[in-house]
């Protein structure tokens, strides 16, 4: 099993010393994120997120399938992530590493279990036909903070996605092509976002957000909060690591809430921008008989 | 909703007759397996788990093949022992008999959690080039599973005599009303069983010794952020109670071993043989 190269002793000492003095290698403040860029593709449901050198692409697709027999009224919703050797040499295909298992579990808990997508709305004919919505997460380059950027990409992609419109007349189900009827957005209930806090120092008293790959390797513990803008916690995971004072955790939760509100505004803004870009001229352009000739 | 706990507000008694800050009956034994280096058996209410610790021992060939063990550190590293945790959930442990494979992510996550919590607490640097294997078996599930696993692991590691900073003890804490209801009168609850876990928001918290330091914090349900503090305080307090109980069990076993002559009494021991 290939192993990740560990930072050298001098790198380790230098970085940790700087952090204990309140400095980071890239000149950011301890509680400052790298610039978060979000862009949507030409198709519906493609989101490309860049967070410093970390880059994640999420693609949503939908198809009609048969629902699970034990859940006849629910559609199928799954998030798949695969970290391959493109991310880092230590990742192998078809052998999930710890990072991958934790990332998949975290997305599952944050987005699926918290009921962000109303799966009942994906049902077409009870027990026979339903939509299966699938999110494929591709990590194109990893430089720390994979969790926050992946979660952001998945939520943005799902909110951007449109599925073909359908209608039921008696016993016949019709699925319309995009030319016949405008595709419809998913029934989306709330947008949860992750914020990861990394702990440094002898007692884990120094808190950093949005760590780079180097900092991530040197941390003594981490804690991920998933919240939505209404102040509801969807998930918290501090899986082992150095024990942290309980009061610090409460403070982190408050900081996470502020951060999540920023994320929500960013996604809302980008979605509105994208909608404007697609909708050239609005209804008047539709009604006009003129064309480019 | 499997049941209705709205009667709680009438008598302030929970579904099994406990008050909000009562732990369930704790029964634990240490050194249950003669052949193992360390072992324990723990019951928290109807949750029953068994733990067997092997090691520190020379790493076996092929042990590091599995992704979960070691946590990215290959076994037998030169600067400290690696820890491998296996959790096996018995098919008969819950109401519906469900086959859980080796690759169940929920179980893998628990293994990683326990492994990482131990790595920060055990003095692994004393045992370079070796492996500590923790095997956990879930015999019966009735809520607070992760908490029971962590407590059983702590006991078994003490039995194995592996040096550690302090006890890691865990328990769950919940809140009486679901996330949808925004009422501020919601009471925190301690040590939830399965019925309560299915209906109410809860979190699992593990602390180090008598301190307020949180080693593990896992919350999987939707809850208002303002309720977090109350739940965490109750959880940390529960962990302290749990530590006292586990400490009592360890001391009881210790004095029994001295009485039976298995261990020599020394002046260094702070054990009273009277009780």
């Amino acid at each position: 099993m290939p192993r990740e190269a560990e930072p050298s002793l001098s790198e380790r000492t230098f970085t940790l010393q700087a952090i204990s003095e309140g400095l980071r290698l890239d000149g950011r403040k301890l509680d400052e994120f790298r610039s978060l860029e979000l862009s949507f593709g030409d198709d519906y449901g493609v989101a490309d997120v860049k967070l410093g050198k970390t880059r994640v692409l999420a693609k949503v697709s939908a198809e009609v399938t048969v629902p699970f027999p034990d859940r006849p009224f629910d559609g199928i919703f799954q998030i798949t992530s695969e970290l391959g050797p493109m991310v880092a040499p230590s990742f192998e295909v078809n052998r999930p590493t710890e990072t991958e298992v934790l990332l998949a579990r975290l997305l599952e808990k944050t987005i699926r279990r918290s009921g962000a997508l109303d799966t009942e709305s994906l049902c077409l004919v009870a027990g026979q036909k339903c939509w299966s919505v699938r999110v494929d997460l591709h990590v194109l380059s990893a430089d720390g903070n994979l969790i926050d950027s992946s979660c952001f990409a998945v939520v943005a992609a799902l909110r951007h996605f449109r599925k073909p419109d359908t209608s039921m007349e008696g016993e016949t189900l019709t699925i319309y092509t995009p030319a016949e009827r405008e595709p419809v957005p998913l029934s989306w209930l709330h947008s949860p976002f992750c914020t990861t806090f990394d702990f440094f120092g002898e007692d884990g008293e120094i808190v950093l957000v949005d760590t780079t790959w180097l900092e991530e390797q040197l941390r003594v513990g981490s804690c991920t909060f998933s919240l939505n803008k209404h102040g509801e916690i969807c998930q918290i995971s501090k899986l082992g690591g150095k024990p942290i004072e309980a009061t610090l955790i409460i403070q982190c939760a408050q900081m996470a809430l502020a951060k999540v509100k920023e994320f929500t505004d960013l996604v809302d803004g980008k979605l509105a921008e994208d909608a404007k870009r697609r909708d050239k001229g609005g209804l008047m352009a539709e009604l006009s008989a003129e064309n480019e000739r | 909703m499997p049941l209705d706990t709205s009667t709680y507000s009438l008598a302030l008694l929970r579904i099994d007759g406990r008050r909000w800050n009562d732990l369930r009956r704790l029964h634990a034994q240490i050194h249950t397996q003669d052949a193992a280096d360390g072992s324990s058996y723990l019951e928290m209410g109807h949750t029953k788990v068994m733990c067997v610790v092997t090691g520190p021992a020379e790493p076996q060939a092929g042990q590091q093949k599995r992704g979960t063990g070691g946590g990215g550190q290959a076994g037998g590293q030169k600067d400290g022992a690696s820890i491998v945790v296996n959790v096996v959930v018995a098919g008969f442990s819950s109401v519906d008999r469900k086959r859980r494979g080796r690759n169940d992510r929920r179980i893998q996550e628990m293994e990683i959690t326990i492994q990482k919590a131990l790595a920060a607490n055990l003095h692994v640097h004393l045992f370079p080039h070796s492996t500590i294997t923790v095997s956990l078996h879930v015999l019966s599930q009735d809520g607070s599973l992760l908490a029971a696993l962590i407590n059983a692991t702590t006991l078994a590691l003490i039995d194995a005599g592996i040096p550690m900073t302090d006890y890691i003890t865990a328990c769950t804490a919940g809140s009486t009303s679901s996330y949808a209801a925004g009422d501020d009168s919601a009471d925190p609850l301690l040590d939830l069983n399965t019925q309560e876990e299915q209906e109410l928001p809860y979190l699992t918290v593990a602390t180090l010794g008598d301190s307020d330091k949180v080693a593990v914090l896992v919350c999987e349900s939707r809850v208002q952020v303002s309720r977090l503090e109350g739940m965490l305080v109750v959880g940390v307090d529960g962990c302290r109670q749990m530590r006292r109980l586990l400490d009592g069990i360890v001391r009881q076993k210790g004095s029994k071993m001295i009485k039976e002559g298995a261990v020599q009494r020394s002046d260094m021991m702070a054990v009273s043989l009277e009780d």
Side-chain angles (χ1 to χ4, degrees):
Chain A
M1 194 162 75
R3 267 212 285 163
E4 194 56 49
E6 284 178 14
S8 66
L9 191 61
S10 43
E11 244 179 329
R12 176 186 292 265
T13 326
F14 181 75
T15 316
L16 289 179
Q17 177 71 27
I19 288 173
S20 67
E21 289 173 19
L23 299 167
R24 289 171 85 166
L25 293 191
D26 43 12
R28 282 183 287 154
K29 276 181 269 174
L30 296 189
D31 57 349
E32 190 180 333
F33 263 69
R34 289 170 283 184
S35 72
L36 183 60
E37 288 171 42
L38 166 66
S39 53
F40 294 111
D42 288 333
D43 288 339
Y44 281 118
V46 181
D48 183 356
V49 172
K50 279 185 216 154
L51 187 66
K53 275 192 230 160
T54 301
R55 188 169 174 187
V56 181
L57 184 105
K59 168 97 177 76
V60 185
S61 50
E63 60 178 3
V64 177
T65 46
V66 183
F68 294 121
D70 54 335
R71 303 190 147 268
F73 301 107
D74 279 344
I76 301 170
F77 174 40
Q78 53 179 356
I79 304 172
T80 57
S81 54
E82 202 171 279
L83 303 179
M86 190 167 71
V87 183
S90 59
F91 292 110
E92 278 176 89
V93 184
N94 293 333
R95 184 185 288 169
T97 55
E98 190 184 292
T99 328
E100 191 173 340
V101 171
L102 293 184
L103 179 66
R105 266 296 282 171
L106 214 101
L107 291 174
E108 153 108 17
K109 284 194 285 188
T110 306
I111 300 168
R112 239 166 66 97
R113 275 189 51 133
S114 75
L117 179 68
D118 178 18
T119 47
E120 277 182 28
S121 71
L122 299 175
C123 175
L124 294 168
V125 184
Q128 289 172 31
K129 288 275 179 282
C130 73
W131 284 108
S132 159
V133 174
R134 177 191 165 101
V135 188
D136 288 286
L137 186 75
H138 303 279
V139 178
L140 304 179
S141 124
D143 184 29
N145 210 2
L146 263 187
I147 288 174
D148 296 6
S149 42
S150 304
C151 179
F152 187 82
V154 170
V155 170
L158 280 165
R159 287 194 51 192
H160 187 246
F161 183 64
R162 302 278 186 280
K163 67 176 178 353
D165 200 5
T166 52
S167 72
M168 270 298 270
E169 274 170 46
E171 293 281 282
T172 52
L173 174 77
T174 323
I175 299 172
Y176 298 100
T177 59
E180 289 169 329
R181 274 197 196 179
E182 192 66 15
V184 290
L186 298 170
S187 144
W188 192 249
L189 301 178
H190 68 115
S191 301
F193 292 102
C194 294
T195 317
T196 305
F197 296 90
D198 294 83
F199 304 104
F200 290 83
E202 195 63 26
D203 294 321
E205 72 282 1
I206 307 173
V207 184
L208 261 69
V209 296
D210 190 24
T211 43
T212 61
W213 178 233
L214 177 64
E215 290 166 335
E216 213 160 82
Q217 282 176 303
L218 299 174
R219 68 184 175 195
V220 295
S222 75
C223 182
T224 304
F225 291 85
S226 306
L227 292 100
N228 59 25
K229 67 170 179 187
H230 311 295
E232 275 172 349
I233 293 170
C234 300
Q235 173 275 125
I236 304 175
S237 52
K238 181 188 185 304
L239 308 176
K242 195 133 214 153
I244 305 298
E245 285 292 337
T247 44
L248 191 60
I249 289 181
I250 304 286
Q251 284 173 23
C252 288
Q254 295 300 333
M255 275 153 71
L257 180 58
K259 204 67 221 168
V260 162
K261 284 180 179 160
E262 272 176 47
F263 284 154
T264 312
D265 291 343
L266 181 66
V267 172
D268 287 348
K270 286 282 179 185
L271 279 172
E273 214 174 89
D274 185 72
K276 206 180 259 177
R277 186 169 64 84
R278 281 168 199 278
D279 184 26
K280 294 191 190 73
L283 193 62
M284 288 311 291
E286 290 276 313
L287 293 174
S288 148
E290 276 179 46
N291 56 24
E292 302 166 16
R293 197 164 36 190
Chain B
M1 290 292 151
L3 81 163
D4 187 23
T5 51
S6 58
T7 51
Y8 176 79
S9 55
L10 298 176
L12 298 183
L13 286 175
R14 286 150 72 175
I15 212 92
D16 48 5
R18 284 182 290 156
R19 298 275 177 200
W20 65 275
N21 61 348
D22 285 345
L23 288 171
R24 288 177 289 175
R25 190 184 70 99
L26 183 93
H27 171 77
Q29 284 172 280
I30 59 175
H31 203 72
T32 51
Q33 254 71 12
D34 274 335
D37 290 323
S39 54
S40 68
Y41 171 77
L42 181 117
E43 288 178 13
M44 282 167 79
H46 293 302
T47 303
K48 297 171 187 169
V49 296
M50 235 175 82
C51 179
V52 175
V53 171
T54 315
E58 207 173 303
Q60 290 160 10
Q63 198 166 39
Q64 273 68 45
K65 287 287 188 283
R66 294 217 12 247
T68 52
Q73 41 185 319
Q77 312 174 286
K78 62 176 186 299
D79 50 347
S82 63
I83 302 164
V84 180
V85 180
N86 294 308
V87 176
V88 179
V89 178
F92 51 81
S93 63
S94 59
V95 180
D96 50 336
R97 196 185 177 88
K98 213 177 190 179
R99 197 91 198 110
R100 291 198 183 279
R102 271 245 153 258
N103 290 325
D104 188 321
R105 289 213 168 113
R106 205 173 67 89
I107 291 170
Q108 279 187 352
E109 191 189 32
M110 285 201 285
E111 289 174 349
I112 294 171
T113 307
I114 297 170
Q115 187 259 323
K116 282 188 166 174
L118 294 179
N121 184 36
L122 296 179
H123 296 305
V124 284
H125 62 273
L126 298 172
F127 311 104
H129 302 291
S130 51
T131 312
I132 300 166
T133 313
V134 178
S135 304
L136 287 151
H137 297 264
V138 179
L139 306 178
S140 165
Q141 297 187 59
D142 186 27
S144 310
L145 180 60
L146 180 61
L149 291 174
I150 292 173
N151 292 334
T153 310
T154 303
L155 283 181
L157 285 168
I158 290 170
D159 184 31
I162 297 169
M164 52 166 106
T165 355
D166 208 332
Y167 287 63
I168 292 189
T169 49
C171 71
T172 51
S175 189
T176 45
S177 76
S178 62
Y179 68 90
D183 63 319
D184 295 322
S185 59
D187 266 345
L189 295 177
L190 187 63
D191 196 14
L192 284 77
N193 59 26
T194 300
Q195 285 184 315
E196 288 168 325
E197 268 186 10
Q198 278 170 356
E199 190 173 351
L200 305 171
Y202 73 100
L203 48 82
T204 304
V205 56
T207 60
L208 183 67
D210 252 342
S211 68
D212 275 348
K213 294 187 172 234
V214 176
V216 175
L217 177 65
V218 181
C219 172
E220 302 190 351
S221 35
R222 268 169 81 179
V223 60
Q224 279 292 331
V225 74
S226 53
R227 299 244 185 95
L228 175 65
E229 191 168 353
M231 284 162 67
L232 198 56
V233 167
V234 170
V236 168
D237 189 59
C239 289
R240 263 199 215 113
Q241 287 185 40
M242 192 62 79
R243 183 185 182 279
R244 272 199 295 282
L245 290 169
L246 295 188
D247 198 45
I249 287 156
V250 171
R251 281 171 194 277
Q252 212 178 6
K253 178 74 185 175
S255 59
K256 199 173 153 206
M257 280 165 79
I258 294 169
K259 274 183 198 157
E260 285 171 355
V263 190
Q264 281 288 308
R265 172 112 170 84
S266 95
D267 296 336
M268 300 291 285
M269 289 177 182
V271 181
S272 65
L273 298 182
E274 272 68 65
D275 45 30

